[in-house]
Amino acid sequence: MSTIEVNKITPVSGGTTVQVGESGDTINIPAGATIANAGTSTGFGDSLRPNVNPIIINGNMAVAQRGTSATGKTTTDIYTCDRMSAVIGSVGTYTVAQEAQTSGNAFANGFANAWRIDCTTADASPAASDQLEMQYTFEGQDLQVFKKGTANAEKFTLAFWVKSNKTGTGNIQLKDKDNSNRQCTQSYTISSANTWEHKVCVFGADTTGAFDDDNAKSLIINWWLGSGTDYSSGTANHGVWEAQDNTKVNSGGTLNINDNTANDWSITGIQLEVGEYTSSTLPPFQHESYGDNKQRCMRYYQNSYKLGNALTSTTGNNAIIVTSWNDGNCGFPNMFPVPMRDEPTVTLRPRGSTTTGQINSNGTDRSATATDVSEKGVSYITVTSGTALTYSGFTFELEAEL
């Protein structure tokens, strides 16, 4: 390989363009090198991101630490795919699953998993305040790149793959939790039933109200799947940031996944980009290794369960066994493998049981509490009437979601 060392390349006299390589050539940029763009770029330059890692964590739905399927759900929670919450407000019953993909447009574009919700008990006439959404939340310190609240504020481009048995209009809401719930909405259309379609939605730049630079909840994305009139009676002002007005957030929405037990809705390949893009200029999805993706998820949630085991599993390979102290209390194993967003809520269960708030001490289930908890670890477990100097067996969950 030949090396040419120069400080500047300029077009020949009278020219305005410098070409590097020919069509079909691969131009290699070494790891650690930086391309600085001080002018206006087109083509490949439009795909240069200011962020190193994906802004959306687990956008490919690969990580599901809590399990792959949850049935009979009527309340809001993260049930399967990490970071993705089902918001269910008095509007039917659902199965939430991590759906494996083996064919279709999303699979052909590198997505082997999706988040899916199926209606199992319908509510075709929701009350005014009923709601159904999929939701993702962000820490403020991860959003500073949008420069919101400044004169240099950037637009938000949200892209994703979506599939449903229903066609029609779906609505998306950005909700600013740091500034009195300021909102910006956009809509998309599902054109073909049971077919993966790629959507690109652009939300305006907002020069009002900066995101807090901290680890608290600053921004929510809601994909509206159904609602009562409290959320749909207004007139949408898509793409423009404005004061909170709940009546607009699902205005014109026709998906209504809640209205029939035949309904389902799936999503994968979610990416949030800084700036405005179209389907032709959108940068490629940033695929991470499974290990890197899971490590980022563990900032918000961890457990002791064998991968693939649901939280209802009572097999021994989910549990931790330690030796109790002279006072019957016991230690918690090591520091957390990944420091968490904040001090987590710790859920303890006895080895071989699904009962919460207990551990097994020398064969007997005893009430127990995690003591002196921080974002990095648990100092020890306080055990009521624990047996000294014997085995203590338990499973744990650690949750520091927004």
Side-chain angles (χ1 to χ4, degrees):
M1 180 178 68
S2 301
T3 300
I4 301 176
E5 297 183 355
V6 297
N7 292 320
K8 183 179 181 181
I9 300 176
T10 58
V12 296
S13 178
T16 58
T17 302
V18 174
Q19 176 176 315
V20 180
E22 301 289 344
S23 176
D25 289 349
T26 298
I27 310 299
N28 291 317
I29 300 171
T34 299
I35 299 177
N37 176 26
T40 300
S41 61
T42 58
F44 112 102
D46 290 342
S47 298
L48 297 178
R49 292 181 171 96
N51 50 294
V52 174
N53 294 316
I55 298 172
I56 299 275
I57 299 171
N58 200 33
N60 64 352
M61 312 300 169
V63 179
Q65 295 184 80
R66 297 166 176 83
T68 58
S69 182
T71 61
K73 299 307 176 185
T74 59
T75 57
T76 298
D77 207 343
I78 297 175
Y79 291 111
T80 55
C81 301
D82 281 46
R83 307 292 296 119
M84 310 297 160
S85 180
V87 178
I88 306 171
S90 305
V91 65
T93 305
Y94 301 87
T95 293
V96 181
Q98 181 195 45
E99 180 185 45
Q101 304 297 306
T102 58
S103 63
N105 294 334
F107 180 74
N109 280 272
F111 300 103
N113 296 282
W115 185 93
R116 174 173 171 140
I117 188 166
D118 284 84
C119 180
T120 56
T121 300
D123 182 354
S125 300
S129 61
D130 292 353
Q131 59 188 115
L132 180 65
E133 305 130 57
M134 194 199 85
Q135 184 176 98
Y136 186 94
T137 56
F138 300 85
E139 298 177 47
Q141 59 195 4
D142 293 334
L143 299 170
Q144 298 305 306
V145 69
F146 287 98
K147 296 169 276 189
K148 189 175 178 295
T150 76
N152 297 319
E154 300 275 5
K155 292 183 178 181
F156 301 70
T157 297
L158 180 69
F160 53 95
W161 288 90
V162 66
K163 176 171 71 82
S164 176
N165 70 301
K166 300 190 75 175
T167 59
T169 300
N171 285 306
I172 305 169
Q173 170 197 18
L174 302 191
K175 187 175 185 178
D176 178 357
K177 297 299 293 180
D178 290 329
N179 296 283
S180 304
N181 294 322
R182 282 177 62 78
Q183 66 187 38
C184 187
T185 63
Q186 235 346 322
S187 66
Y188 65 96
T189 300
I190 297 178
S191 301
S192 300
N194 302 311
T195 303
W196 282 106
E197 298 177 350
H198 194 237
K199 307 300 176 184
V200 179
C201 300
V202 178
F203 299 80
D206 190 14
T207 58
T208 300
F211 290 130
D212 294 344
D213 187 20
D214 59 21
N215 67 343
K217 183 191 299 183
S218 285
L219 181 68
I220 295 172
I221 301 180
N222 287 321
W223 284 261
W224 284 85
L225 306 179
S227 73
T229 55
D230 283 356
Y231 303 100
S232 61
S233 59
T235 301
N237 193 20
H238 290 321
V240 178
W241 284 91
E242 59 187 352
Q244 180 181 18
D245 186 344
N246 285 339
T247 67
K248 297 180 178 181
V249 295
N250 195 30
S251 174
T254 62
L255 292 182
N256 300 322
I257 302 303
N258 51 281
D259 70 7
N260 194 294
T261 56
N263 294 343
D264 60 77
W265 184 88
S266 301
I267 189 170
T268 191
I270 305 173
Q271 61 187 104
L272 183 65
E273 304 293 346
V274 179
E276 181 174 1
Y277 295 96
T278 66
S279 58
S280 59
T281 63
L282 184 76
F285 184 90
Q286 291 174 278
H287 287 276
E288 298 181 284
S289 71
Y290 179 85
D292 288 347
N293 189 5
K294 183 178 180 183
Q295 189 170 46
R296 295 182 74 198
C297 292
M298 289 172 69
R299 175 171 171 79
Y300 304 91
Y301 178 85
Q302 306 175 28
N303 66 39
S304 64
Y305 289 73
K306 184 179 184 296
L307 186 63
N309 284 357
L311 301 179
T312 54
S313 169
T314 58
T315 59
N317 59 8
N318 299 320
I320 302 296
I321 297 177
V322 298
T323 300
S324 60
W325 301 339
N326 285 331
D327 59 4
N329 296 330
C330 65
F332 192 91
N334 305 318
M335 303 297 282
F336 301 153
V338 175
M340 305 198 73
R341 180 190 65 85
D342 203 350
E343 175 186 316
T345 299
V346 182
T347 301
L348 299 171
R349 297 180 179 90
R351 183 174 187 265
S353 173
T354 59
T355 302
T356 60
Q358 297 180 346
I359 71 167
N360 188 278
S361 177
N362 195 34
T364 301
D365 293 348
R366 304 286 190 183
S367 296
T369 305
T371 304
D372 292 343
V373 181
S374 76
E375 78 281 5
K376 294 183 178 181
V378 174
S379 293
Y380 66 98
I381 297 174
T382 301
V383 183
T384 301
S385 302
T387 304
L389 303 176
T390 187
Y391 80 88
S392 298
F394 57 92
T395 63
F396 64 82
E397 287 184 83
L398 312 172
E399 183 166 321
E401 297 285 354
L402 290 159

